[in-house]
Amino acid sequence: MKNSFAYSLSEAIATSSGLYIAREDYCIAKDITLADGTTFKKGKKFFTLRELLLLREAGEFPKGWDIPNGCELIDIVREFGEKDGARHPHYLIASLGLELKGTPANGDNYDMYNSDPANSCHCIIGSNNVGYYLGISVDSTDAYMIFLNDYEEGLYVARCKDTAIGSVRLVARGF
């Protein structure tokens, strides 16, 4: 988390339905070691659903903020990804300040990224061309994702594997 204002309701981006979206992607601000020994390094901004659930269960999200669910992701794309009846990823990017920052690939690249997220730019694929923003099903069992590509049809929400790696833009709940 870069700026404390990112998790202020007064600074959040509001949808017409009253959902509040954080101004920045969630990022680990300091090294975190959970009770089971799982460690998350400072600077980590790409996650799997399992990792996000561990962080949520450990109370590591800013107070009142949570993972968006699939329906909320669809609403966000409809509201911010369309303009005058046309859908384009750049509308969503501009409205929410999202980035096409790629993702670390599964396997060795993700392991290298997790060991030193602040210095792992060589592990990132698709930077400046794609973006992946995670969400969750209402019952917290399935992963959903906003997929962004740098072309006109490159904006959709779909269910994905729970091992998929992406960023997350938290939404306000429970204030």
Side-chain angles (χ1 to χ4, degrees):
M1 177 169 53
K2 294 181 212 167
N3 298 306
S4 59
F5 79 86
Y7 295 100
S8 163
L9 275 183
S10 63
E11 295 295 328
I13 301 162
T15 66
S16 59
S17 65
L19 179 69
Y20 289 91
I21 306 161
R23 285 269 174 197
E24 295 179 357
D25 297 347
Y26 179 67
C27 181
I28 302 293
K30 61 181 176 25
D31 288 356
I32 297 170
T33 301
L34 303 181
D36 69 358
T38 303
T39 299
F40 296 96
K41 296 286 198 168
K42 178 182 178 178
K44 182 174 173 65
K45 58 186 174 185
F46 297 105
F47 305 91
T48 63
L49 179 59
R50 180 184 172 282
E51 291 171 331
L52 289 174
L53 291 173
L54 286 172
L55 288 163
R56 179 172 78 179
E57 289 167 16
E60 293 295 337
F61 290 163
K63 185 177 174 18
W65 295 85
D66 199 7
I67 307 163
N69 66 48
C71 293
E72 291 167 336
L73 292 179
I74 291 168
D75 290 344
I76 290 167
V77 166
R78 283 186 182 143
E79 184 160 340
F80 297 107
E82 296 178 7
K83 185 175 179 182
D84 299 327
R87 182 180 216 165
H88 198 285
H90 291 285
Y91 299 143
L92 187 66
I93 291 166
S95 297
L96 299 181
L98 300 181
E99 297 177 55
L100 296 173
K101 59 185 172 186
T103 190
N106 283 322
D108 289 342
N109 273 355
Y110 198 52
D111 293 341
M112 287 189 308
Y113 169 77
N114 282 329
S115 68
D116 189 8
N119 296 308
S120 296
C121 60
H122 60 281
C123 299
I124 308 301
I125 59 170
S127 184
N128 299 316
N129 295 311
V130 294
Y132 306 94
Y133 287 85
L134 283 168
I136 193 167
S137 59
V138 174
D139 64 0
S140 296
T141 58
D142 294 313
Y144 283 81
M145 189 175 281
I146 296 175
F147 295 88
L148 295 166
N149 287 313
D150 193 21
Y151 59 91
E152 191 171 326
E153 296 84 26
L155 174 58
Y156 60 96
V157 175
R159 192 170 142 204
C160 60
K161 292 182 178 182
D162 61 357
T163 56
I165 301 165
S167 302
V168 66
R169 189 63 69 94
L170 299 177
V171 295
R173 284 209 183 84
F175 277 95

